Amino acid sequence: MEKQLLIQVILRDITEQKKLQERLAVTQKMESIGELVGGIAHDFNNILTAINGYAEMALQKIKSDKWEYKIVNNILRSGKQAVDLVQKLLGFSRKQIIKPKVIDINKAIRELNDMLVRLIGEDIEIEYFLKEGIKPIKADHMQIEQIIINLCINSRDAINQKTHKASRKKIIVETNEIMISEEFLKSHFGSATGKHIIISVSDNGAGMKSEIKERIFEPFFTTKSFGKGTGLGLSTVYGIVKQNKGSIYVYSEDGEGTTVKIYWPVSREKKIVETVTSEVEQVIGGNETILFVEDDEAVREFSVATLKELGYKVYEVSNGLEAVGMIKSGLKDIDLLITDIIMPKMGGKELEGIARELIPGLKVLFASGYTDNYIVHSGVLEEGVNFIQKPFSIQAITKKIREVISKD
Ligand SMILES: Nc1ncnc2c1ncn2[C@@H]1O[C@H](COP(=O)(O)OP(=O)(O)OP(=O)(O)O)[C@@H](O)[C@H]1O
Ligand SMILES: [Mg+2]
């Protein structure tokens, strides 16, 4: 009798361990794909800064009734689509730069309703069960939108894929709170203990087989036909959740439906920050002196040309060391230093330190295609650091420059 019990216990132990090993292997695989994808996305960001930038510049020179205008406009449109794609890849590799604020998740979800209805179609009902008085979380508003929209679109596709007869087509969006215990972790690999909120999206769509379920977070994994899906939706969601120290689980029954559950840590700060509506973008120039430091030639040329066009006096160099040399040899009258973060010989952060010693009170604007530990910690911007995400549009860079220069 005792022997039997012992054997049982050992057996269970091994299966648990095997499961854990499998999950660890999946996590490691996702990590390495993330690194690869992040690297590619970073390089593409630089290339796109130049392509879109020059296209924008050309558009400003061409009259809108000329045929050339249409062509360049098409280049720009495709270029912008490429930027969206790169943003998704950066999202997956957790290299999206985020500005998390303390938010009320229920409010964020409610505000999305109109857009969701438009995306999903009137024939599918969305039902909400939002926990009243839910604890605030720290999150980037745009990332929350990305998550909810991606999950609801997946649900829509799964519902439309199924031939519905009696049952109503339905998506349920739910929020709740949970205190994650050590015990819970045993069945939820990748979670952390403590207070969390739960965001879950369920549907009564086609569901998935377990072979598919195992791969859904992989970038470019899709079962949808060409042009319908890129297979980046859930990879982005996964990356975002991990970047924010959360966890994500998928429950699905083939032929019945799917639930995606996200656990997101509750914010320690309580004060909810109201989101500001975006203003109309316009191009504003200036006549100040800028030292522009960037190792990517295409990005540098385009940026410098743009800034000169807008009236700025611009000096350009390709790394931090050259910039220091230039300042030491007498260029002290600079209003703004714009520098890339990662460069050969001397990066942006080291340059900032030396330049500020040589020119006290110098204003600095960092530009980067993705996060870097010097400036941002796992994608979260340090307070008070001026930063612009590449690729930047002419509007974005000019607006940012005015903002930094006019700051005290
Ligand atoms: N709610 C769901 N029900 C059934 N299958 C799903 C659901 N969500 C995702 N899947 C499966 O997971 C795959 C990957 O999803 P993911 O969102 O990453 O990519 P996609 O929807 O195919 O393309 P994209 O989101 O880039 O447009 C889908 O192709 C689908 O097979
Ligand atoms: Mg999708």
Side-chain angles (χ1 to χ4, degrees):
M1 185 66 196
E2 255 182 34
K3 217 180 198 173
Q4 214 178 10
L5 195 73
L6 191 69
I7 291 170
Q8 246 184 10
V9 170
I10 291 174
L11 269 181
R12 194 175 322 127
D13 252 351
I14 292 171
T15 33
E16 292 245 315
Q17 203 186 347
K18 207 171 154 232
K19 251 195 207 156
L20 209 69
Q21 273 171 353
E22 277 169 10
R23 296 217 181 100
L24 201 66
V26 172
T27 311
Q28 278 164 352
K29 183 170 140 196
M30 297 294 279
E31 292 284 332
S32 50
I33 301 176
E35 283 299 311
L36 176 73
V37 164
I40 297 171
H42 172 245
D43 289 349
F44 267 108
N45 243 346
N46 277 342
I47 298 168
L48 287 171
T49 301
I51 295 178
N52 292 355
Y54 279 122
E56 250 189 283
M57 207 189 261
L59 274 189
Q60 289 179 349
K61 300 264 179 236
I62 307 170
K63 287 206 175 72
S64 58
D65 54 356
K66 285 259 169 66
W67 63 269
E68 291 95 334
Y69 188 91
K70 212 167 150 193
I71 290 177
V72 178
N73 207 19
N74 282 341
I75 296 176
L76 188 59
R77 200 164 56 210
S78 298
K80 282 184 174 161
Q81 280 168 1
V83 170
D84 284 346
L85 195 71
V86 166
Q87 280 308 312
K88 284 186 191 167
L89 293 174
L90 288 171
F92 168 67
S93 58
R94 290 167 234 174
K95 299 228 160 86
Q96 233 174 17
I97 308 273
I98 52 171
K99 289 190 184 131
K101 296 199 169 86
V102 181
I103 64 160
D104 174 355
I105 183 70
N106 291 350
K107 185 166 173 265
I109 291 175
R110 280 194 205 101
E111 281 170 359
L112 268 180
N113 179 61
D114 287 353
M115 193 199 285
L116 289 177
V117 171
R118 238 178 299 135
L119 285 170
I120 277 134
E122 302 280 348
D123 61 324
I124 300 174
E125 187 189 339
I126 313 178
E127 214 178 329
Y128 296 95
F129 293 101
L130 306 178
K131 162 106 180 150
E132 250 186 64
I134 197 161
K135 295 205 164 64
I137 56 168
K138 210 161 181 194
D140 183 300
H141 209 266
M142 231 179 61
Q143 288 195 327
I144 291 292
E145 285 181 10
Q146 274 180 310
I147 291 176
I148 307 285
I149 290 171
N150 270 312
L151 295 182
C152 288
I153 287 181
N154 281 350
S155 287
R156 174 200 70 190
D157 293 347
I159 289 171
N160 288 336
Q161 197 190 322
K162 190 166 126 176
T163 38
H164 278 258
K165 295 217 175 73
S167 64
R168 286 192 318 203
K169 302 177 174 186
K170 199 172 191 178
I171 298 175
I172 297 175
V173 180
E174 246 178 298
T175 59
N176 216 328
E177 290 174 358
I178 183 178
M179 177 76 194
I180 296 184
S181 63
E182 291 286 347
E183 190 56 33
F184 182 89
L185 298 187
K186 286 185 190 158
S187 55
H188 289 78
F189 183 80
S191 281
T193 53
K195 282 183 203 158
H196 286 73
I197 64 137
I198 309 171
I199 308 165
S200 77
V201 175
S202 307
D203 62 68
N204 59 352
M208 10 173 178
K209 294 198 168 63
S210 60
E211 310 94 84
I212 290 183
K213 207 185 92 179
E214 275 160 25
R215 300 191 57 196
I216 53 174
F217 294 127
E218 285 176 23
F220 302 111
F221 175 79
T222 180
T223 56
K224 293 168 193 171
S225 56
F226 184 75
K228 283 255 170 72
T230 44
L232 284 175
L234 285 178
S235 326
T236 312
V237 172
Y238 178 92
I240 293 174
V241 170
K242 290 286 163 190
Q243 186 179 28
N244 289 279
K245 310 269 183 302
S247 50
I248 180 166
Y249 304 93
V250 177
Y251 307 89
S252 189
E253 290 285 345
D254 191 17
E256 298 298 325
T258 303
T259 294
V260 179
K261 263 190 181 178
I262 291 167
Y263 296 85
W264 195 287
V266 161
S267 163
R268 277 195 217 111
E269 298 155 52
K270 295 280 174 289
K271 202 171 166 347
I272 288 170
V273 180
E274 290 304 321
T275 44
V276 280
T277 43
S278 56
E279 338 152 17
V280 184
E281 290 189 346
Q282 52 175 332
V283 178
I284 322 151
N287 53 13
E288 287 90 349
T289 303
I290 295 173
L291 175 55
F292 196 91
V293 194
E294 162 71 63
D295 62 317
D296 188 297
E297 208 182 312
V299 173
R300 192 179 63 241
E301 269 181 24
F302 149 68
S303 309
V304 169
T306 305
L307 296 175
K308 281 185 176 162
E309 183 96 351
L310 288 164
Y312 292 104
K313 191 165 178 202
V314 190
Y315 293 92
E316 56 177 300
V317 284
S318 66
N319 64 60
L321 212 57
E322 287 176 17
V324 170
M326 205 170 214
I327 296 171
K328 280 192 173 157
S329 66
L331 181 72
K332 292 272 159 57
D333 205 7
I334 308 169
D335 299 295
L336 178 66
L337 167 69
I338 303 179
T339 177
D340 188 19
I341 296 174
I342 305 156
M343 292 176 293
K345 292 185 188 151
M346 187 191 287
K349 191 64 192 168
E350 197 183 336
L351 166 62
E352 178 202 24
I354 299 174
R356 284 219 166 111
E357 265 173 36
L358 296 170
I359 309 170
L362 176 67
K363 285 175 175 159
V364 181
L365 171 58
F366 290 101
S368 183
Y370 69 153
T371 63
D372 176 73
N373 287 332
Y374 290 127
I375 298 292
V376 278
H377 300 292
S378 63
V380 184
L381 265 189
E382 260 171 31
E383 298 281 334
V385 172
N386 302 311
F387 180 84
I388 185 157
Q389 168 100 49
K390 283 198 287 194
F392 40 72
S393 63
I394 295 179
Q395 274 105 335
I397 182 87
T398 50
K399 192 172 155 209
K400 195 79 204 181
I401 288 173
R402 291 323 312 162
E403 192 187 305
V404 176
I405 286 181
S406 59
K407 242 193 219 173
D408 295 315

